Amino acid sequence: SDWFHAKRVIALCVLFSQKMKLSLKKDSTNSVKEEDLLRPSKERKRQDDSLKSVTIRVKDLQTAELFLIKASQSKAFPEETEALATKSHQENGIVGRSVKRTSPIHRLKPIVDDDGVLRVGGRLHQAELPYDVRHPVLLPKKAPKAIHIGSHNHVAQSSHPE
């Protein structure tokens, strides 16, 4: 589906950027000259070959999922995301009070979880239910359907008793 394809693409992009950062860090510690970079070497060929075959782990897919959800939320709710992410808001334990009353999500008493994802707050925190059920992810109406479907499947899978 589109959701799984998007997660895989984002995961590959994240892995690629991590590998590039590591190779730049390694190159800077070895003080490689520019002319050396232009010459083909066995080590550079090995690095290029390692980029061709990449194994995507579950953790990488979870990171990509968080990235897609947070990107959608920050585009749709920029003021709310910023207001709820402030340190004073989190330290005081205030839930949903720093979101303006004119906000479309004000009545949902939004909270930010440890990963920085906006979730529905409210009184369900007292219920004996899994966290994802008590506090579902807040998604904008106009978010791509793939995100809605993917997050629904994620919640459905994580709420099954084991």
Side-chain angles (χ1 to χ4, degrees):
S1 75
D2 290 342
W3 173 248
F4 294 110
H5 183 71
K7 279 184 12 178
R8 288 180 55 79
V9 168
I10 296 296
L12 285 170
C13 290
V14 169
L15 287 173
F16 179 76
S17 71
Q18 288 173 349
K19 283 193 178 235
M20 289 293 100
K21 286 177 186 175
L22 285 174
S23 68
L24 286 175
K25 193 180 281 187
K26 185 177 178 183
D27 286 348
S28 68
T29 57
N30 291 339
S31 66
V32 178
K33 298 177 185 173
E34 267 188 59
E35 58 262 6
D36 291 341
L37 290 174
L38 298 175
R39 289 188 214 137
S41 69
K42 289 180 183 178
E43 185 177 329
R44 184 154 304 282
K45 185 171 168 66
R46 230 179 296 127
Q47 286 176 351
D48 291 342
D49 290 341
S50 72
L51 290 175
K52 290 178 185 173
S53 63
V54 176
T55 303
I56 300 175
R57 301 169 303 194
V58 173
K59 182 180 178 183
D60 300 326
L61 292 172
Q62 290 169 341
T63 302
E65 183 175 335
L66 281 175
F67 177 83
L68 287 168
I69 289 171
K70 286 167 60 172
S72 177
Q73 288 178 340
S74 65
K75 184 176 180 183
F77 312 117
E79 293 174 9
E80 293 85 348
T81 304
E82 188 176 330
L84 291 168
T86 60
K87 282 189 177 183
S88 63
H89 182 274
Q90 292 174 349
E91 289 171 359
N92 294 332
I94 302 168
V95 178
R97 291 200 177 118
S98 60
V99 175
K100 293 181 181 177
R101 288 183 182 261
T102 57
S103 169
I105 62 172
H106 171 71
R107 298 182 79 189
L108 300 173
K109 307 278 190 245
I111 60 171
V112 177
D113 67 6
D114 295 337
D115 295 320
V117 175
L118 283 175
R119 293 179 174 271
V120 176
R123 296 185 311 184
L124 279 179
H125 68 277
Q126 299 169 356
E128 291 183 23
L129 296 168
Y131 184 79
D132 288 338
V133 175
R134 286 182 289 157
H135 303 289
V137 173
L138 269 172
L139 293 172
K141 284 185 203 178
K142 295 181 182 178
K145 290 199 186 279
I147 291 178
H148 285 287
I149 292 167
S151 97
H152 170 73
N153 288 338
H154 174 72
V155 170
Q157 289 171 358
S158 64
S159 65
H160 285 265
E162 295 180 11

